[in-house]
Amino acid sequence: MAIERYNPRQAEARWQAAWADRKIFETKNEDSRPKYYVLEMFPYPSGRIHMGHVRNYTMGDVMARYMRAKGHNVLHPMGWDAFGLPAENAAMQNRVQPKSWTYDNIAAMRAQLKTMGLSIDWTREFATCDLDYYAQQQKLFLDLLAAGLAYRKSSKVNWDPVDQTVLANEQVIDGRGWRSGAEVEQRELTQWFFRITAYSDELLAALDTLDRWPEKVRTMQRNWIGKSEGMRIRFVVAGKAPAGHATIEVFTTRHDTLFGASFLAISPDHPLATQMAKNDTALAGFIEECHRTGTSAAAIETAEKKGYDTGLAVAHPFRPDLTLPVYVANFVLMEYGTGAIFGCPAHDQRDFDFATKYHLPIIPVVAPLDEFDADGDVVAWVEQFESGQEPYLDDGKLINSDFVDGLTVAAAKEAVAQRLEHTMLSGAPQGARQTNFRLRDWGISRQRYWGCPIPVIHCPTHGVVPAPEKDLPVRLPEDVSFDRPGNPLDHHPTWKHVPCPICGEPARRETDTMDTFVDSSWYFARFTAPHAATPTVKSIADRWLPVDQYIGGIEHAILHLLYSRFFTRALTATGHLGIAEPFAGLFTQGMVVHETYRREDGTFANPAEVTITGEDGARRAVDTATGAAVEIGPIEKMSKSKRNTVDPSDIIDTYGADTARWFMLSDSPPERDVIWTEDGVAGAHRFVQRVWRLVGDARELGMRIGRPGAALPNAMSSDAMALRKAAHRALAAVDDSLRGLRFNVSVARIYELTNALAGSLSALNEQRPDAVDFSLGAAVREALELLVEMLAPMMPHLAEECWSALGHSDLVSTRPWPEIERSLLVEETITLPIQVNGKKRGELTIPVGASEAEVEAAVLALDFVQRALEGRAPKKIVVVPKRIVNVVL
RNA sequence: GCGGGCGUGGCGGAAUUGGUAGACGCAACGGGCUUAAAACCCGUAGUUCCGCAAGGGACGUGUGGGUUCGACUCCCACCGCCCGCACCA
C-alpha cells in the first residue's frame, strides 16, 4: 500500500499554524521590493461567511500569494464593515447590545475565514465600529467641515413613521419601509451632506484613466454622474406676473429647437406652482394628485402626461409677438435643472404626448439631412411628419427657425447660444451656457444608534459648533435601550446634553450618526497604517495606494465605489492623502448560484435536505426525510429566502478548504456566475487526492526520481524532454492566466500537466530495474515540483503537504515563483495544418527554421495536395510562418 | 426608451486575439481491477453520411448577408437572453 489518502482537515490546520508561527504573511511598510496591494471588499459581520465570501477571498488570496511569489511586498489585509442597522434590529429582537452582537459575529467569522487558509496580515485587522477607527473618522469629518466639503441643509428624505428613522432609497421597497412595512413619508429634514458634486467633473473625467476597471462599471458611474451641457434660458412672463416671478428659468440641452417651442412646463414642486396654488384650489388639487402618483419605475412607465394650465404666458425670446402658455406638468422634476422646461413637441417624446393631449402646436424645426431635395426643400418630409404620430428625434438641419434655418443641430445650438448670451434682459443675459449633473450631494445623516457619531454640537447662540479636538472622540454610549422606536441616542437621558464649547451654555449634541458608506470610503487607506494616531500617515498611505487589485461584487458599482473615489479626493484636499484614485484595478466577481428545490406545498428545500436521483436518465429530487418528490427549480443566487445555500463550513469540514478554493476557481470565468454543484465539488476533491497520489507514487519510485535539489542530468531522453516541455509550457500559461485573473484557464493548464505527469510516472514505474531512464525520473521530479509550486497560490495547504512529502524542508508559500525555461518553449519542428481552399486537409511536420520556399515545396509534394491539384498549378499559396498553409486552387 | 454585456457539444467553458473550433472539467458510455461495491486506472464521444473495416466526405460557434486565401473572432442587418439606468429636459 502506497500512501494514505490526503487528510485535509488535519493537514490544513497544521499548515495554517506553521504560517502563523513564522508570521510569513505579516507585511512591513518598509520594504525595498515593489509593492502590491490586493484587497477584497471587506465583509459585513452578519455572523456566518457565505459562499460569495469564499469566492471573493479565494480570488484575492490567489493574487496575494502569486504576487508574493513574484517578488512583491504584498499588502493583503482584512477588516469588518461593522456599523449598520442589522445590529440594532438584533438588539431589538434578542435584547443584546449592538456592540456585543457585532463583536461576537466578528469572532465567529474570523474563525471561519481562518479555516480558509488566507494569506492575510491579521495584525492590521480592524472593525469600523472600533473606537479607534471611528475616532479617526470624526477627525476626518471635522476636516471636511472646515474645508467646506461637509455642510448642513434642509432636504426631503424617506421617513419611516414606525421605525422613526430616515431610510435610504434602497431601503424603500414599493413605497414601504423594508423592515416595518409602513408607508414611507417624504419629510423635510435638516441633514448633513458631503459635497460630492464639487468633484462631478473630475469624477467623470478620471473614469477614462481607470483602464483596469470593467467598462460596465465605468459606464454606470458615467450615467450616474449624468453630465449634460445645455443652456439656462429666462422667459419673460407676459402681462401681470406673480410677485417675484417676472421671469421663468428653464434648462435645456436642445436650444437649437427653440423656434419649435409651444409651451412651458414647471414642476409641481416649483416655487411658482406652490405660490399660485395658494389662491387656486384646482391647482392645489392637481399638485396633490401629482404627489400621490408613485415614483416607482412601474408608476412612471404607465403614468399619463398631465398638465394644469396656469393661465400665465411667457414671451418667446426671439419672437416677442408669440407667447407660450405655462403649465404645471407632472413629468417635470424639481430636482433636475431649474424645475422648468420649454416644450418642443416635434422633437421630444414627452412633449409630443403632452402637446397631443392638450392640442398645442407641433412645429417641426429639424428635418433629416437626406430629406432635403436639390433646392433645399423638405416639403414632402414635413407633410409626412405632420400626418405622422411621432416626434423626430434624430440629427438633421434646421427649418422654420428664422436665423438658424439651414444650420446643423450643432451649429444651431451655437448660434442660439450666442444670440441668447448677447440679448440683455433687465441687466443680465437672457441665456447662459450651463452644465448640469444628475449627481446630488451625498446625504450622510442617519437617525440611528449603531454608527459613527457626527462630532458637532448645536448651540442656541452659536449654531453648529465642531466638537473640540480635546473632547474627541465622541463615544457612542453603551447604556442605551431599544425598547421604543426611534434613535436611542436621542432618547438617552444625558448623552446629548453638553455645554457649548464657545459659551458654556447648555447645548445639544448632534444625535445623527454617519451613513455606514462613510466608514467604507476610506478603510483601504487605514489598512496602510491601522494603528496610527492620525487617520492616515500620508507618506505610508501614498506609498501603498492606490490599491492595485480590488475585488468585489458588482452591486457596489456606484455607491461604494463612487463614494470612495470622492472621499479619496476629499482626503487629498484636506492633506490626509496625496492621490486621486483609490483603486487602480477593479475586478467584479460573479455570484455563486445553485439550483432551487421546491416541495409540493410550495416551501423551498435546502440542498442538504434533498437527494438527487438519476435512474431513468432524468434528474429527479426527493426530500431525504420524507421521500416525497421535490421539484428542481431554476438556478438562482444563493439566498436565505430560496434556501438554496450551502454552508462553507460544511464543505470545508467535509472536503477541506483547498477543495472549496479549487472548485471556486475552476470552470467558470471569475467575472461570471459559478454554479455550485455537488458533482463539481466532488470533482475538485478528486483532483486534490489525485495530486497527493501522484506525489506518493513518485516517492515510491525513490532513487528513480532523484533527490530534491539535484541537478538535471546533461543528457535527457526524448520522453524526459517532452515532459519538461509540457511542464514549462504549463508554467508559462499559468503565469499568464494568473496575472490576468483568468483562474479557470490556469486550472485547465494544470490539469493538462497533471495528465502528462501521470503518464510519465507510470511509464517510469514500468521500466525494468536494469533499464531505468533516470533522465525521465529527473524530469518527473522537476515537473512534479513545478506542479506543486503552481498549485500553491490556489491550494496552499495541499501544496505545502506535497512539497514536504517531496523531501523539502522549506515552505512553498515563501518560495519565489519558478523560473520558466524559455528555451523549452521553442520547438525544433512544428506541425502545420494544411488547407486547400481554406479547408483543412492534412498536416505537415517541418523544421521550425524552414524557409517559405521550403515549406511550399514540401506542401506541394504532399499526396492530398497533389490529388487536389490534379496536375494544375495552384493559383496561390498562403504561408503564414509557424501557423498555417493554405493552397488556393 | 437609453446604456453595457452575452449567445460555442448533454452541461460549465477553452481557442495563442484573423490561422487545426470544442482544450480542461462535469455528466455519460465501454473496459480493467474487485467475491461485490466504493475508490482507482485505461478508453470512447460535435452532428451526420458512405464503408465490414482501414479510412473518407458533408455540415457545424444564435439567424441572414458581407470583407478575406482563411471568420467563434472584423463589418452590416436581424433574433434571443442577462444586467444597469430611466419622465434627467
Side-chain angles (χ1 to χ4, degrees):
Chain A
M1 191 51 222
I3 187 168
E4 281 178 38
R5 271 176 79 80
Y6 176 62
N7 179 347
R9 208 197 263 254
Q10 184 254 97
E12 289 181 354
R14 184 154 34 81
W15 292 113
Q16 284 162 16
W19 299 327
D21 286 350
R22 291 171 174 76
K23 303 183 191 300
I24 58 174
F25 302 132
E26 292 182 14
T27 304
K28 294 199 168 55
N29 288 333
E30 308 299 329
D31 194 297
S32 59
R33 292 171 296 174
K35 68 99 180 178
Y36 186 81
Y37 186 177
V38 56
L39 183 66
E40 302 94 62
M41 290 180 185
F42 67 163
Y44 177 79
S46 59
R48 304 284 299 167
I49 64 169
H50 55 67
M51 282 298 175
H53 291 130
V54 174
R55 194 175 194 202
N56 194 185
Y57 301 135
T58 297
M59 289 179 192
D61 196 48
V62 172
M63 292 314 285
R65 288 174 178 272
Y66 170 69
M67 293 307 285
R68 215 176 271 123
K70 291 290 267 187
H72 289 76
N73 184 32
V74 170
L75 177 57
H76 185 216
M78 179 60 71
W80 310 94
D81 188 13
F83 275 135
L85 199 55
E88 289 185 57
N89 292 339
M92 280 181 256
Q93 283 155 20
N94 310 326
R95 307 212 147 264
V96 289
Q97 284 299 313
K99 183 174 176 178
S100 55
W101 182 85
T102 302
Y103 282 103
D104 285 352
N105 284 351
I106 288 173
M109 288 177 76
R110 184 193 302 115
Q112 279 189 297
L113 281 185
K114 287 201 171 179
T115 65
M116 282 183 65
L118 304 172
S119 63
I120 284 168
D121 179 355
W122 287 101
T123 67
R124 292 175 188 252
E125 176 192 358
F126 61 78
T128 55
C129 64
D130 291 347
L131 176 63
D132 183 47
Y133 186 81
Y134 75 74
Q136 302 303 332
Q137 187 162 303
Q138 290 176 347
K139 291 187 202 164
L140 292 179
F141 178 90
L142 292 179
D143 286 349
L144 262 59
L145 183 63
L149 291 168
Y151 67 96
R152 254 174 130 229
K153 75 169 179 192
S154 175
S155 83
K156 280 200 176 146
V157 293
N158 302 306
W159 180 259
D160 185 321
V162 171
D163 282 355
Q164 297 196 14
T165 183
V166 165
L167 295 180
N169 286 333
E170 304 79 46
Q171 290 159 349
V172 180
I173 298 154
D174 290 330
R176 289 170 182 280
W178 68 291
R179 217 182 67 81
S180 68
E183 209 158 315
V184 167
E185 298 166 6
Q186 296 295 303
R187 266 207 193 177
E188 190 81 19
L189 279 183
T190 302
Q191 301 263 296
W192 284 97
F193 286 84
F194 281 158
R195 206 178 297 280
I196 188 171
T197 56
Y199 296 93
S200 298
D201 247 326
E202 211 185 301
L203 289 168
L204 180 69
L207 285 171
D208 293 335
T209 69
L210 298 175
D211 55 348
R212 291 202 296 119
W213 278 42
E215 189 55 46
K216 184 188 172 101
V217 175
R218 293 197 283 168
T219 306
M220 282 166 72
Q221 292 210 355
R222 246 176 234 124
N223 293 342
W224 188 262
I225 296 168
K227 179 177 184 171
S228 46
E229 297 183 57
M231 288 205 84
R232 194 183 265 265
I233 304 174
R234 285 192 296 155
F235 285 79
V236 179
V237 176
K240 190 175 177 298
H245 293 281
T247 60
I248 299 174
E249 268 196 325
V250 306
F251 176 74
T252 181
T253 56
R254 288 303 303 273
H255 34 290
D256 54 307
T257 64
L258 193 50
F259 285 97
S262 55
F263 66 95
L264 244 62
I266 64 173
S267 164
D269 299 317
H270 194 281
L272 176 57
T274 312
Q275 184 176 326
M276 292 181 76
K278 282 176 189 157
N279 307 312
D280 184 342
T281 50
L283 175 56
F286 176 77
I287 292 171
E288 188 62 23
E289 189 191 326
C290 291
H291 288 154
R292 270 202 303 277
T293 325
T295 46
S296 70
I300 287 164
E301 191 75 35
T302 51
E304 200 187 347
K305 306 283 170 282
K306 280 188 195 153
Y308 180 91
D309 190 346
T310 61
L312 293 180
V314 294
H316 189 283
F318 300 143
R319 298 171 63 182
D321 53 311
L322 180 68
T323 60
L324 310 174
V326 178
Y327 284 78
V328 175
N330 63 348
F331 63 92
V332 181
L333 306 174
M334 192 58 219
E335 302 82 56
Y336 189 78
T338 61
I341 61 158
F342 79 77
C344 177
H347 304 291
D348 182 280
Q349 185 66 54
R350 288 160 315 181
D351 297 350
F352 187 91
D353 296 346
F354 192 81
T356 307
K357 182 173 164 92
Y358 294 104
H359 309 293
L360 296 163
I362 299 173
I363 312 152
V365 290
V366 178
L369 288 174
D370 53 7
E371 296 288 344
F372 288 84
D373 65 20
D375 303 324
D377 264 350
V378 278
V379 179
W381 180 83
V382 169
E383 278 173 11
Q384 188 198 325
F385 173 84
E386 281 171 347
S387 62
Q389 292 299 310
E390 51 188 32
Y392 176 71
L393 307 174
D394 291 331
D395 204 359
K397 275 202 302 192
L398 275 290
I399 57 171
N400 296 332
S401 293
D402 194 345
F403 68 94
V404 290
D405 268 348
L407 297 182
T408 61
V409 165
K413 278 185 185 173
E414 183 58 30
V416 168
Q418 291 202 7
R419 181 77 65 104
L420 288 170
E421 282 171 330
H422 294 113
T423 306
M424 298 305 280
L425 203 66
S426 50
Q430 183 159 25
R433 288 174 218 250
Q434 190 185 325
T435 301
N436 239 332
F437 292 92
R438 275 183 29 147
L439 187 65
R440 299 277 88 107
D441 276 337
W442 172 16
I444 59 149
S445 287
R446 295 292 180 269
Q447 290 69 42
R448 289 180 188 147
Y449 164 73
W450 194 232
C452 173
I454 295 173
V456 301
I457 292 159
H458 300 279
C459 169
T461 313
H462 297 95
V464 172
V465 182
E469 187 93 39
K470 65 174 175 55
D471 295 343
L472 290 185
V474 177
R475 289 166 188 263
L476 278 175
E478 292 184 25
D479 53 338
V480 288
S481 79
F482 293 90
D483 48 12
R484 58 176 163 147
N487 184 354
L489 288 181
D490 201 33
H491 301 155
H492 193 280
T494 56
W495 185 80
K496 69 179 171 183
H497 302 295
V498 287
C500 167
I502 297 173
C503 61
E505 293 298 310
R508 187 180 63 78
R509 259 193 213 294
E510 174 65 67
T511 56
D512 285 353
T513 54
M514 292 183 217
D515 182 0
T516 56
F517 276 109
V518 179
D519 312 342
S520 55
S521 289
W522 69 286
Y523 77 106
F524 46 87
R526 183 71 184 166
F527 276 136
T528 64
H531 311 299
T534 48
T536 65
V537 177
K538 186 165 175 290
S539 60
I540 297 172
D542 286 354
R543 206 174 326 137
W544 279 114
L545 292 172
V547 173
D548 296 275
Q549 188 64 63
Y550 198 36
I551 308 176
I554 186 83
E555 67 273 18
H556 294 110
I558 293 177
L559 293 169
H560 162 59
L561 289 168
L562 189 61
Y563 292 151
S564 297
R565 295 183 62 222
F566 155 69
F567 218 76
T568 299
R569 285 170 169 78
L571 294 197
T572 292
T574 49
H576 295 284
L577 293 176
I579 56 162
E581 288 291 338
F583 313 119
L586 172 69
F587 192 89
T588 53
Q589 62 175 73
M591 296 181 299
V592 183
V593 297
H594 196 284
E595 274 180 338
T596 48
Y597 306 105
R598 204 160 198 158
R599 297 195 184 88
E600 258 176 15
D601 62 3
T603 59
F604 287 99
N606 184 265
E609 301 165 342
V610 170
T611 305
I612 305 288
T613 58
E615 283 130 45
D616 40 2
R619 288 181 76 248
R620 276 168 224 285
V622 295
D623 190 317
T624 313
T626 65
V630 173
E631 190 194 338
I632 299 180
I635 296 167
E636 297 192 53
K637 179 183 182 174
M638 283 189 181
S639 70
K640 281 187 192 126
S641 60
K642 299 277 163 56
R643 302 202 64 219
N644 59 339
T645 55
V646 175
D647 189 331
S649 290
D650 291 348
I651 299 299
I652 292 173
D653 284 349
T654 312
Y655 299 102
D658 284 336
T659 295
R661 293 169 62 121
W662 187 251
F663 176 75
M664 280 302 183
L665 299 167
S666 324
D667 286 6
S668 287
E671 68 278 10
R672 285 198 219 167
D673 292 351
V674 60
I675 305 171
W676 185 275
T677 62
E678 265 303 312
D679 284 336
V681 180
H685 188 66
R686 205 149 50 225
F687 180 67
V688 169
Q689 295 295 350
R690 187 175 185 215
V691 170
W692 180 240
R693 229 171 15 249
L694 281 181
V695 169
D697 290 352
R699 254 178 15 161
E700 292 273 298
L701 292 172
M703 283 313 294
R704 290 191 184 196
I705 62 161
R707 297 183 179 286
L712 290 165
N714 289 327
M716 301 295 280
S717 66
S718 64
D719 286 352
M721 282 311 286
L723 182 59
R724 294 205 69 210
K725 281 179 184 173
H728 283 269
R729 205 160 293 151
L731 178 60
V734 169
D735 198 36
D736 261 9
S737 49
L738 284 184
R739 198 176 18 242
L741 289 92
R742 303 179 67 231
F743 307 116
N744 56 320
V745 177
S746 306
V747 166
R749 295 290 98 86
I750 286 174
Y751 275 123
E752 278 175 339
L753 175 59
T754 309
N755 290 340
L757 193 49
S760 296
L761 242 166
S762 71
L764 189 62
N765 191 35
E766 281 158 22
Q767 286 168 357
R768 292 204 327 267
D770 58 341
V772 170
D773 176 359
F774 285 100
S775 74
L776 180 59
V780 163
R781 167 171 284 281
E782 183 197 18
L784 201 49
E785 291 186 345
L786 286 176
L787 175 71
V788 170
E789 291 180 277
M790 277 185 250
L791 281 174
M794 299 188 259
M795 298 205 280
H797 314 88
L798 175 69
E800 294 290 5
E801 191 77 357
C802 291
W803 192 248
S804 158
L806 285 168
H808 294 276
S809 54
D810 59 341
L811 291 174
V812 73
S813 298
T814 55
R815 286 183 61 82
W817 191 251
E819 287 292 325
I820 302 164
E821 212 166 304
R822 299 269 164 201
S823 62
L824 290 170
L825 307 184
V826 184
E827 291 283 3
E828 301 96 64
T829 64
I830 190 165
T831 300
L832 295 175
I834 310 300
Q835 297 179 329
V836 176
N837 280 342
K839 288 189 194 296
K840 189 194 164 194
R841 286 290 180 266
E843 290 177 344
L844 172 70
T845 300
I846 197 161
V848 164
S851 69
E852 274 192 40
E854 286 167 330
V855 173
E856 268 187 40
V859 166
L860 287 175
L862 290 168
D863 270 5
F864 60 88
V865 175
Q866 285 294 317
R867 252 182 283 131
L869 283 172
E870 292 173 332
R872 292 166 301 179
K875 202 182 279 174
K876 186 174 173 185
I877 301 182
V878 182
V879 179
V880 184
K882 296 178 188 176
R883 277 284 145 78
I884 202 164
V885 179
N886 190 6
V887 180
V888 186
L889 299 184

